[in-house]
DNA sequence: CGCAACAATGTAATCCTTTACATCCATATT
DNA sequence: AATATGGATGTAAAGGATTACATTGTTGCG
């Protein structure tokens, strides 16, 4: 592997000039620039990134951690993040934490060891070993939270208004005439799940349906929702609001297995608007999140911090949208 | 940020000793080890990875590129890769190339610049700028191909026997009595698509159905398959083999929109066995690929190369499996 | 014609860690 | 008691790029 020294020797210039040709072309005369570039090409020289990082204190890499990479929702967020990162000259390191705090910590260490310049974490838990950094550097710490958001951890974040979204979903079911409504939430530790539930409860109260609301706890997986279905059917539920499309699909599958039909017997509304939601049968009514934009903006926020930007915008709320397809229908 | 020098000074030892405490604890006396570790803790010292990489020529990072990260199939492969990487002491950098050769090249450069130690690429195209490296280093080049596989590019790879799988799928439809069978392939440039098609055609020939086989080209996306459905219906097809579950779902959705039913009128078989396949309605009959294992083994192969292992196993074929659910049915 | 100003390039320090080699000291061996 | 052995630690040289500062050479102006 050629080094800058060999390039310099072969081009008959100093290493400084070679470096300048590559990073500040305008500070070098055209003739030498061309000559150097020719040597660079012929040798196939590529600067050693470790050496550069060591010298410049910049790894040009951003870490994005997700609790579950096989969740299509996160895949879309990552894609947005990756795009924004590439535009800003950063590569993305993806960490799949599998909801495991020790793996989260492991990845967070990459920040402390300067393997990456910043972190976007898509989950609700701020890794413990980042606490000191956050409390020391405050909003200038290169850490951004995506999707979820916890006001208490003091980290900028990008998300939708989950309470409003929860409210919208429930309102939609009520508007269709449903009175006995079931809700399958995410885990209680998830702030966005709590927000959605709060929104849903508030809407239910507004219509005097608080007492008839059947709330069950899921974990965003299809299985977890399917498991609650027979119980909810027994309770006479006609409308069901699941906090993820996967759970909605699981629930619909279970409804069918119970010999009932969605939407004829039970209307189901999901959350996220996964790419497959429209191809599911029945087409899934759902709350669409701007997945790509969430990732995109989270990275932009982070890059801003890394550039020492003063912005200090700490919370970005993006719009959600109720997408009505055929898994919900007026009662009767 | 503390450096090793400060730790050394504060612990009253040389930097060499600190380094040894962290990387070769057994070569240091217990008393000094404890003393150093105490200082490391109190200062929150984390070795600078760039400096270490520069010195050791090891980035401890593996690059995995995918043509489309929002494809759940790849997400599962990545997860397997990530797991194997972490076990071997590597982090995974994920690159989403969006089928764009220039982005592929961009990521491949990370190998040349030693930002990463190795590359697993999940696609069929070997980035151009890797050619020289491959032809120079041959099988010792730290590059592995996952899922797809091109015998000509001379890179070790991990995949299933796609021809056999294509054959299995078609045999299944024939066994159910279907005679007019449609196939929606992937792009022609994709070797795995060609293999599956070859397998399917071979099976059709065996049953004297070659001429009745209706072949259409898709791009693995739901939309692309949906677009072919009305035409295939017009051709009187009763069985449809799609080269991805997403296409199968798109096709089923289109079949329904055309007023027909799957599986009553048309049986559909997919490929991949995505996590959602069993929750789809009807439950998707499909060829299951060992997604996680593919990623896992690809990384293991790569790590083996990185460790200078002599293995030189160049092609690993993993087993696939026909999973029968309810989207296929005997003709009737 | 002489000097200021500036453009182009070179010199060498620096980023932080790892590790080959040197040194020291204590224990074991004869 | 003298020496060999080996364990613990220190010294200092990489590793490859960037960049402040120094130097050289040109151009322009009075």
């Amino acid at each position: 592997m050629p080094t800058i020294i060999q390039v310099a020797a072969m081009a008959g210039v100093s290493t400084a000039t070679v470096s300048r040709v590559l990073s500040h072309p305008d500070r070098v005369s055209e003739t030498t620039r061309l000559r150097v570039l020719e040597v660079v090409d012929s040798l196939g020289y590529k600067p050693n990134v470790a050496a550069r990082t060591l010298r410049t204190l910049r790894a040009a890499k951003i870490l994005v951690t997700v609790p579950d990479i096989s969740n299509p929702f996160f895949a879309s967020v990552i894609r947005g993040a990756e795009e924004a990162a590439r535009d800003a000259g950063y590569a993305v390191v993806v960490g799949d934490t599998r909801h495991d705090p020790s793996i989260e910590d492991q990845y967070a260490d990459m920040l402390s060891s300067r393997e990456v310049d910043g972190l976007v974490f898509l989950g609700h838990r701020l890794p413990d070993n980042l606490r000191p950094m956050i409390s020391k550097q405050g909003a200038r710490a290169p850490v951004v939270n995506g999707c979820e958001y916890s006001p208490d951890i003091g980290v900028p974040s990008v998300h939708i208004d989950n309470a409003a979204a929860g409210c919208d979903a429930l309102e939609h079911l009520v508007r269709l005439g449903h009175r006995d409504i079931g809700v399958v939430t995410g885990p209680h530790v998830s702030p966005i799940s709590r927000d959605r539930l709060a929104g849903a409860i508030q809407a239910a109260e507004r219509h005097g349906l608080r007492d008839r609301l059947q709330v069950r706890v899921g974990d965003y997986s299809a299985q977890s929702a399917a498991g609650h279905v027979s119980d909810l059917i027994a309770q006479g539920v006609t409308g069901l609001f699941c906090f993820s499309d996967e759970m909605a699909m699981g629930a619909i599958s279970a409804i069918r297995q119970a010999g009932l039909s969605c939407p004829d017997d039970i209307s189901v509304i999901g959350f996220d608007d996964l790419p497959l939601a429209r191809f599911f049968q029945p087409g899934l009514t759902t709350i669409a999140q701007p997945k790509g934009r969430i990732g995109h903006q989270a990275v932009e926020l982070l890059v801003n911090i890394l550039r020492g930007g003063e912005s200090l915008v700490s919370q970005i709320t993006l719009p959600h949208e109720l997408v009505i397809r055929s898994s919900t229908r007026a009662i009767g």
Side-chain angles (χ1 to χ4, degrees), chain A residues 2-24 27-28 32 35-36 39-40 45 47 52 55:
Chain A
T3 73
I4 199 171
I5 299 176
Q6 293 163 45
V7 175
M10 192 164 295
V13 297
S14 73
T15 61
T17 299
V18 176
S19 173
R20 276 189 286 253
V21 166
L22 265 26
S23 342
H24 309 281
R27 289 188 213 160
V28 173
T32 45
R35 181 155 38 97
V36 170
V39 175
V40 165
Y45 168 72
R52 170 181 290 170
R55 184 59 229 246

Side-chain angles (χ1 to χ4, degrees), chain A residues 146-171:
Chain A
C147 305
E148 300 261 358
Y149 112 101
S150 311
D152 45 310
I153 61 181
V155 165
S157 79
V158 180
H159 47 77
I160 62 169
D161 182 341
N162 282 285
C167 180
D168 289 355
L170 207 97
E171 288 283 358

Side-chain angles (χ1 to χ4, degrees), chain A residues 61-82:
Chain A
K61 240 161 257 153
I62 286 173
L63 175 63
V64 178
T65 60
V66 294
D68 178 5
I69 200 177
S70 63
N71 181 327
F73 172 76
F74 291 122
S76 300
V77 178
I78 290 175
R79 166 163 271 200
E82 223 237 359

Side-chain angles (χ1 to χ4, degrees), chain A residues 6 10 38 67-68 81 85 103 136 138 163 195 208 220 226 239 241 253 302:
Chain A
Q6 293 163 45
M10 192 164 295
E38 202 163 321
D68 178 5
I103 301 184
K136 204 181 301 172
D195 286 352
Y220 298 125
F241 172 26
S253 173
L302 182 60

